[in-house]
Amino acid sequence: MTFCLTDYDAYGFDLDHTLAKYKLTELCRLAYEGACEALINTKGYDKKLKDDIALHKDFLCKGLFLDADKGNILKLSHDGKVLRGSHGTKMLTKDELKKTYGPDLHWEHFQEAKDNVKSSDGRLKYRFFENYFDIPAAVLCAHVVDYIDQKNGPQENYTFWQDVYASLGVNYIPKAFAEDSGYFFPLLKRNPEKFLQPCSDGVKQWLLELKRQGKVVFLMTSSAHDFATTVLNVVLGSDWQKYFDIFLFNAKKPAFFTDGNSFLGLDGHVETTPVTELQPKTCYSKGNHLDLMKFLSQQTQRVKPKVVYFGDSLCSDSFPANSYAGWDVVLVLEEMEAEGYHLTPKDLECDDTVTAKKPKRDVNLYIDPEEESFLLSKVWGSFFYHEEEDIKLDKHMNTFWGRLISKYNVIAVPLIEYIAGMPIDHKYTRFSDGVGSTDGFSPAKPKPLL
């Protein structure tokens, strides 16, 4: 089966880590130091907790779970088996893991975590770390456990998570951007270019070409208007509005797809009254996918317009957009490049004669080697694959997140720059229905799956 952009009536784009590529080395440092500062200054934790995140970059890994009560960090299989684990920063042996989680290594909270994978409720006994705003908090949690154990000895029940969760709230609550408060937004606002990589001219050209196809191109991000426009001004320029037909902010994904919230008008950065009918070239806040689909239907003159959405989050983008709205999703997954497949200009060369003669767009495929070292963890292993669980040796995805990739996305690409460099009518192989399918990685599979 194939995927082709020309088959769709509307193209939706997430912002952070999708259209907006962050300089991850700087972002991780800011997110980690900001979380440390909040924990130290608002909860009275020891100043020794704060150090250089680069010293612990091998502990960074997307998709880890926090077992808060036990003070453990876990990597899980697709069916809830503990593949690797640490207590604080100390990696646990297989025997130590079995002593804690039983001979079958099945995590007791797995089904609850799976059912609530879209939730970030701080009252839960666990937390997953899926984006680079909060992934550094996993390192902080591990350091807090080390500190508690050193000071008071191992605990039967650890209670630090509420404090770490509150510290993340201090930094990421939307009003902190406007108030210039917390320990994250003020530094980012002062010099956003330090943390963001501008889109290439090729990406901008591609967005305009999508619009010229007579299709609708929309921006939909969970970031609030003030923060998002700061990001947009860096990555697309002050004329960013020309690339989209409608602009949706503070979308509250995944609730955008489940809760039926009304769209709100915007007066500058301020939310105003509920809106019953969306208008083109207008900014809105919050909202729901059903009202958006009415707008897309009117604009495309299709009863059921076919939508593809570009996003980076399996929990906030892929799962809800596909499951509740019936949209196809292109997953932007930087771990593809970090795990052994390096893009080159040759990846933009098409073999079929229909697309080969079309003009190429000038895109940026460069990945900073230091950034790559922040994406790849020898401690935790591959984001996609765990060899010890591959009994058939068929190289299918068998980690918790690996299975979600093939289930809820049509294809996965390492950078938006890659797909923007390809002809719009190029046909990609899509993920099949097979469990743990690896067919939809483009331009090629990550090295652990070869």
Side-chain angles (χ1 to χ4, degrees):
M1 295 181 64
T2 60
F3 162 78
C4 183
L5 286 171
T6 56
D7 293 337
Y8 295 85
D9 305 301
Y11 310 99
F13 291 90
D14 181 33
L15 182 58
D16 297 309
H17 305 294
T18 302
L19 277 176
K21 185 188 183 315
Y22 283 82
K23 298 173 183 177
L24 291 183
T25 302
E26 297 295 343
L27 179 66
C28 287
R29 182 172 287 114
L30 176 61
Y32 178 71
E33 293 181 358
C36 289
E37 289 284 359
L39 195 62
I40 292 164
N41 294 324
T42 66
K43 297 296 180 180
Y45 279 67
D46 196 305
K47 292 181 179 179
K48 293 179 182 178
L49 284 172
K50 181 183 175 183
D51 59 1
D52 186 356
I53 187 66
L55 299 173
H56 315 288
K57 60 185 178 182
D58 202 36
F59 198 85
L60 290 169
C61 184
K62 189 174 187 176
L64 299 177
F65 283 79
L66 169 68
D67 188 346
D69 285 351
K70 295 181 174 67
N72 293 347
I73 310 288
L74 307 175
K75 177 183 176 182
L76 299 178
S77 73
H78 67 282
D79 57 359
K81 183 177 180 179
V82 177
L83 301 175
R84 292 186 184 180
S86 74
H87 179 73
T89 60
K90 177 185 177 294
M91 297 304 295
L92 299 172
T93 66
K94 185 64 67 72
D95 287 342
E96 288 173 325
L97 288 171
K98 286 182 177 179
K99 185 176 180 180
T100 302
Y101 296 103
D104 61 356
L105 290 173
H106 191 272
W107 189 37
E108 61 184 317
H109 296 301
F110 173 70
Q111 191 58 49
E112 184 183 4
K114 188 176 179 182
D115 293 342
N116 290 283
V117 76
K118 61 182 184 295
S119 173
S120 59
D121 190 342
R123 296 169 296 180
L124 297 176
K125 299 291 187 181
Y126 51 83
R127 169 67 182 251
F128 60 86
F129 302 95
E130 197 220 359
N131 69 71
Y132 287 94
F133 293 110
D134 69 7
I135 286 171
V139 178
L140 177 56
C141 287
H143 284 169
V144 170
V145 172
D146 290 347
Y147 174 77
I148 292 171
D149 287 355
Q150 184 178 13
K151 185 177 179 181
N152 302 315
Q155 306 293 296
E156 186 174 334
N157 184 46
Y158 290 83
T159 59
F160 68 90
W161 169 238
Q162 296 292 328
D163 292 337
V164 176
Y165 183 77
S167 75
L168 295 177
V170 167
N171 286 341
Y172 297 128
I173 188 169
K175 69 177 183 179
F177 188 88
E179 295 175 350
D180 211 31
S181 63
Y183 304 90
F184 180 84
F185 287 133
L187 289 171
L188 188 143
K189 286 168 67 176
R190 195 174 303 157
N191 186 10
E193 291 80 6
K194 180 180 179 180
F195 304 98
L196 290 157
Q197 179 175 300
C199 290
S200 67
D201 289 341
V203 168
K204 297 175 184 179
Q205 179 187 346
W206 177 66
L207 290 171
L208 293 175
E209 287 179 19
L210 290 176
K211 288 183 68 175
R212 283 199 289 269
Q213 300 283 319
K215 311 297 179 70
V216 175
V217 179
F218 64 94
L219 174 73
M220 185 179 75
T221 172
S222 287
S223 293
H225 185 268
D226 51 4
F227 173 62
T229 51
T230 297
V231 173
L232 286 162
N233 282 327
V234 175
V235 299
L236 288 176
S238 58
D239 58 350
W240 58 266
Q241 292 196 9
K242 75 179 183 182
Y243 299 105
F244 309 103
D245 296 296
I246 191 170
F247 328 102
L248 311 177
F249 301 94
N250 196 26
K252 303 289 187 184
K253 296 176 295 178
F256 183 89
F257 298 99
T258 59
D259 290 3
N261 297 317
S262 296
F263 278 100
L264 302 177
L266 281 167
D267 182 5
H269 300 318
V270 180
E271 294 176 346
T272 58
T273 57
V275 174
T276 56
E277 187 171 344
L278 301 178
Q279 300 297 325
K281 304 304 290 186
T282 305
C283 295
Y284 298 99
S285 188
K286 296 184 179 176
N288 64 86
H289 80 278
L290 295 176
D291 286 344
L292 174 59
M293 289 300 289
K294 291 178 184 176
F295 169 82
L296 296 178
S297 180
Q298 292 167 356
Q299 297 298 305
T300 61
Q301 298 186 348
R302 302 266 187 179
V303 176
K304 293 183 178 180
K306 194 173 181 183
V307 180
V308 61
Y309 187 68
F310 295 78
D312 71 292
S313 172
L314 288 161
C315 300
S316 298
D317 298 325
S318 303
F319 164 67
N322 182 260
S323 298
Y324 300 116
W327 297 354
D328 284 339
V329 181
V330 173
L331 182 67
V332 179
L333 193 60
E334 291 176 274
E335 284 72 20
M336 285 176 60
E337 177 130 4
E339 294 202 25
Y341 189 86
H342 292 181
L343 287 166
T344 71
K346 288 187 176 181
D347 291 308
L348 303 179
E349 296 175 2
C350 302
D351 294 331
D352 70 284
T353 56
V354 176
T355 60
K357 296 181 181 179
K358 300 209 171 176
K360 302 294 184 183
R361 303 177 202 91
D362 185 16
V363 294
N364 179 11
L365 302 181
Y366 176 75
I367 291 290
D368 177 25
E370 184 180 8
E371 179 174 299
E372 187 174 308
S373 71
F374 273 71
L375 288 164
L376 185 63
S377 172
K378 294 178 182 178
V379 169
W380 294 103
S382 172
F383 179 69
F384 308 97
Y385 175 73
H386 195 75
E387 187 172 10
E388 294 175 27
E389 290 300 298
D390 188 7
I391 299 174
K392 297 181 179 179
L393 300 178
D394 60 0
K395 295 286 186 174
H396 65 285
M397 288 187 286
N398 56 12
T399 62
F400 178 87
W401 302 101
R403 286 293 176 92
L404 299 183
I405 291 171
S406 60
K407 186 173 183 178
Y408 296 114
N409 302 281
V410 287
I411 63 171
V413 298
L415 298 168
I416 205 77
E417 297 276 350
Y418 161 68
I419 197 168
M422 298 293 287
I424 291 175
D425 60 356
H426 180 70
K427 289 181 172 18
Y428 304 82
T429 301
R430 62 186 289 164
F431 289 113
S432 69
D433 293 332
V435 176
S437 166
T438 61
D439 300 332
F441 287 110
S442 188
K445 298 175 186 179
K447 189 175 180 179
L449 299 173
L450 295 175

